[in-house]
Amino acid sequence: MKRETQNLLLLLIGTAVLWITLDGTYLRYVKPSLYPFLLISGIGFVLLALVAITRDIRSGTASPGSGHRPGLDPAAGHEHGSGGEHAHEHGSGRVQWLLLAPVAALLLIAPPALGAGAAVTSSSVQVVPRDVAAEQPKVWAFAPLPSEPAPSLPIVDLVNRAVQDSSHSLDGREVTISGFIIRPKDLEQQHPDSPDADLARVVITCCVADARYVLVHLAGLPEVIEDDAWLQVRGIVETGSAQRDPDLTPTFVVTDYQRIEAPDRPYERGR
């Protein structure tokens, strides 16, 4: 690969990293605490690229394939090989420029945050490991809920409480959760007019490479709501519903809801 291509690739990578870091798009891919590391990395890539470009310009060696080379006859326009044979110069390998395609795509078309469309290829959060899923989940007393009416909870916290809280802090308590709608595919095909749906959030530990989905079943929605619509939902967890579900997913009885914009931080943190 020519030095010009190397330097340009380095510069574009650094620019792409800085771009998604400064405008907040990085939150679609990694957890917020990685912000300073991305910022330092982006600046480092850009500085390295600028130093390399400046050095090549000053030394005049930015294009090692250009200029007069020993053994090249300018008048004849070809290079003399041994035994009177001619060594023909081959192309510069344009396929190497394809390495720039992913970086350019990130700059021009930033992939969206994970949503309903990726749920079929991702795993759900396992509150109880699969090797002991047939046994009773281990339970302990969770911290009391805030005393305010309908306190807001992350969905992953709500699911953990519904399955493992020995103090039953959710029983009879109205809480508020937010997430995006996932309509089960079999239900959508067999009963397209049914308002039943799941409310989901993507949970990450470090980045989207370890992304998993955590969800609750919604009961009492008065209308059909499309996939990926974000809702803030107020309601009560149906007592014992998680234990009765094969996937330990609780049922959330909706008392009120409203559509909201997707949050700047669309992912919840896992343990």
Side-chain angles (χ1 to χ4, degrees):
M1 182 186 295
K2 287 188 175 182
R3 288 187 61 85
E4 296 98 322
T5 307
Q6 295 174 355
N7 295 340
L8 179 60
L9 183 60
L10 196 62
L11 182 61
L12 284 177
I13 291 175
T15 302
V17 172
L18 281 178
W19 184 290
I20 65 174
T21 302
L22 295 176
D23 74 355
T25 308
Y26 78 99
L27 292 172
R28 300 177 184 178
Y29 318 117
V30 298
K31 60 184 181 181
S33 60
L34 293 181
Y35 174 86
F37 302 100
L38 291 173
L39 188 63
I40 293 172
S41 298
I43 293 173
F45 277 123
V46 171
L47 289 178
L48 285 175
L50 293 178
V51 168
I53 292 171
T54 302
R55 183 185 59 191
D56 288 344
I57 291 174
R58 287 181 176 178
S59 63
T61 60
S63 181
S66 61
H68 180 73
R69 293 177 297 170
L72 181 65
D73 186 351
H78 60 268
E79 193 173 14
H80 296 291
S82 60
E85 296 179 353
H86 303 296
H88 298 284
E89 185 176 0
H90 296 280
S92 57
R94 294 185 180 88
V95 70
Q96 296 165 354
W97 287 92
L98 293 177
L99 294 173
L100 300 178
V103 182
L106 186 60
L107 286 171
L108 301 175
I109 310 172
L114 295 178
V120 293
T121 60
S122 300
S123 59
S124 58
V125 170
Q126 290 292 314
V127 179
V128 180
R130 286 194 177 276
D131 56 348
V132 295
E135 303 176 8
Q136 289 296 321
K138 294 180 180 179
V139 297
W140 65 89
F142 280 54
L145 291 173
S147 58
E148 64 190 76
S152 295
L153 290 180
I155 288 184
V156 67
D157 185 27
L158 181 138
V159 172
N160 285 331
R161 285 176 178 270
V163 176
Q164 296 181 294
D165 186 8
S166 61
S167 63
H168 304 285
S169 58
L170 290 176
D171 288 359
R173 280 297 305 270
E174 198 172 43
V175 295
T176 302
I177 56 176
S178 62
F180 57 89
I181 288 292
I182 295 180
R183 285 179 54 77
K185 296 306 176 185
D186 55 346
L187 178 67
E188 191 173 20
Q189 293 170 1
Q190 299 173 13
H191 305 284
D193 297 330
S194 173
D196 292 345
D198 295 329
L199 193 72
R201 289 295 288 265
V202 175
V203 177
I204 65 171
T205 302
C206 177
C207 62
V208 293
D210 56 46
R212 298 170 294 163
Y213 282 70
V214 59
L215 49 86
V216 297
H217 301 313
L218 296 182
L221 280 177
E223 61 173 326
V224 175
I225 301 178
E226 70 279 4
D227 279 349
D228 284 322
W230 278 82
L231 300 182
Q232 184 179 71
V233 183
R234 186 169 174 166
I236 299 173
V237 173
E238 184 180 308
T239 303
S241 57
Q243 287 75 12
R244 295 191 298 267
D245 187 89
D247 296 321
L248 298 178
T249 301
T251 297
F252 194 77
V253 182
V254 178
T255 57
D256 191 22
Y257 72 97
Q258 61 179 341
R259 290 176 179 261
I260 59 173
E261 295 293 328
D264 293 333
R265 298 184 178 184
Y267 304 138
E268 292 184 354
R269 284 291 310 280
R271 290 183 294 178

